[in-house]
Amino acid sequence: MSRMRVRERFAVTVRGFGILKKYCPGLVRDKALYELINSLQPFVSVWFSARIIDEIILGRRVEVLAAYVAGIVLINFLGAVCKGILKRLGDEKEALMWCWFGKIFSDKQMSLDFEDLEDAGIRHQRQEAEENLYMFGNGLGQLVWGTAVLVRAGINLAASLFLTGTLFFSRSGNAAADSPLWVAAVLLCILAGGICNSRATIKENEIFMEWCKGTVWFNRTFMFFGKELYMNPERAKDVRIYEQSVLAKRELDKLIRRNRENQRDNFRMALFPGAASVVIGLANGACYLYVVIKAFFGAFGVGSIVQYVAALSRLGEGVQEFMYLLSDNEMYCLHLRKLFEYLDLPNRRYQGSLTVEKRDDIEYDIEFCDVSFRYPGADKDALSHVNLKFRIGEKLAVVGRNGSGKTTLIKLLCRLYDPTQGEIFLNGVEIRKYDYDEYIALFSVVFQDFKLFSFTLGQNVAAGVKYDRARARECLIKAGMGERLEEMPRGLDTCLYRDFGENGVEISGGEAQKTALARALYKDAPFMILDEPTAALDPVAEYEVYSKFNEIAGDRTAVYISHRLASCRFCDTVAVFDKGHLVQKGSHDELVLEEDGMYYQLWHAQAQYYTHRG
Ligand code: ADP
């Protein structure tokens, strides 16, 4: 386990509190206040009890006894009320804490550069921080719990020193009992108990930290082979047909083996605190002996014995907790540091600030100038030296074989990635110079692998909670979902999918694609990009989309990626890609005549497929 310097631990802890304050408001405060009252109350009771006993034995003054009894009752009553309220508030916030932690990760994920989302190293970094936090509370969770321990230790130390102060200075008249060596021996025993506890924590943490390194693997294997593979209805068909359960069993066996090994770790982890308990027991014994001997020789009365014995054992607990915290803090600081490394991942993408000119005539033109792009870690370009200009209002079809770079072109256009070389311009200005959110608002896109969400149909179309119902309905009808909408039990308010209840409706791949198209229409952006928008549609629905394509796209500039070359006839221009290069550009009628061109090949391959029946 790599060590951390005290200064860094302090800085990391302070930052941890900053994050807790922002994302979990009031949690640390309520927990700390509860612990303050909870730890203080026993000392107050002990002090009053000692006074009552002494008064009964010595003074027997009724009014003084009554005042002590009233005091203890009142303080305990107030303490119980405050503790009750603070416990409820703290527990409620602690239950919410896990959702609040989720927000930390979702905020960061949303702000990461898109290409970092696909980076395996960054994914692992996030999972390690997130899963350790959720499984064991490592890092932020421990900081919350550690704060309660810190308050308790602080109160235990301060209050027990306050209550035992007179013990160390009291005199019995017996030289042996009053010897300062006793004081030194008792304090040493208490310190030894604390040190043993701290060593035990360090050892325990070392084993635990080693074990935590496997958390991501453990979770991934368990979630995938133990749950996803069997639970996800989308995978169930393939799992059964290809008997994937055999493979799953083998992987799950590895988990069980690791769990058995874990038993050994658990035993080792228990061994150290066990050894520490022995020393702590001896330390407590020394404390009792000291108090009894002093009382025996008449240094103080019976009431004080109660006070000193209780306070000394609390002093021991305080020292142990404090030492434990010092060691434990290092462990959660290491986890916090890992979390911060992830949270501090920089945005490398250039952040422009130019406002996108809002044009009523939606006259925006786009130009790719010598654009090349290589995916991180890839050994060849996905796009190479592409020069392409879209005329305003143009319907551009992009065609090519699988892997020729069509989707990559769209990803660059939408700034999910920045080109490795070359530039893209919007109305003559390089697109990176625009404010990202404003720029992205210009595009309605239906990606090939689009996703709908388990919200209502209307919310899916509008991509929002409050929306224009008439417009959502109109877009669904335009996208060919009109009839299905009529059949939906609650119309636009029907929930899609069953993730959130039995009343959800499962829709087919084709219906989902139409809904995604309706969502793109609802956004009503000046650019419409459709990546294989008819792949999941039946021939009739596909024909409907083609024939209504001009109506759907309206006067927007539209980019249409399709394997169905027949659709290119609805477009003004066709751009043909091959192995990342733009190899041809022209109208369908022109390109279909160029016999040595790629488009001719593709067109005839497809025509053959449709005309020759096997
Ligand atoms: P198309 O849309 O024409 O089928 P793509 O643009 O999706 O092609 O892919 C172009 C090339 O880039 C392919 O060789 C593909 O394997 C590669 N590629 C696509 N996405 C990624 C990615 N996220 N990481 C690495 N390589 C990718």
Side-chain angles (χ1 to χ4, degrees), residues 118 375 378 380 382 401-409 411 417:
E118 295 184 337
Y375 283 98
K380 62 179 177 31
R401 305 174 67 168
N402 284 337
S404 58
K406 306 180 295 290
T407 304
T408 306
L409 182 89
K411 288 183 185 165
Y417 296 93

Side-chain angles (χ1 to χ4, degrees), residues 490-509:
R490 299 185 58 211
L492 287 173
D493 299 318
T494 309
C495 234
L496 296 191
Y497 309 118
R498 300 231 167 94
D499 301 277
F500 293 113
E502 284 304 303
N503 296 333
V505 167
E506 292 292 336
I507 54 173
S508 73

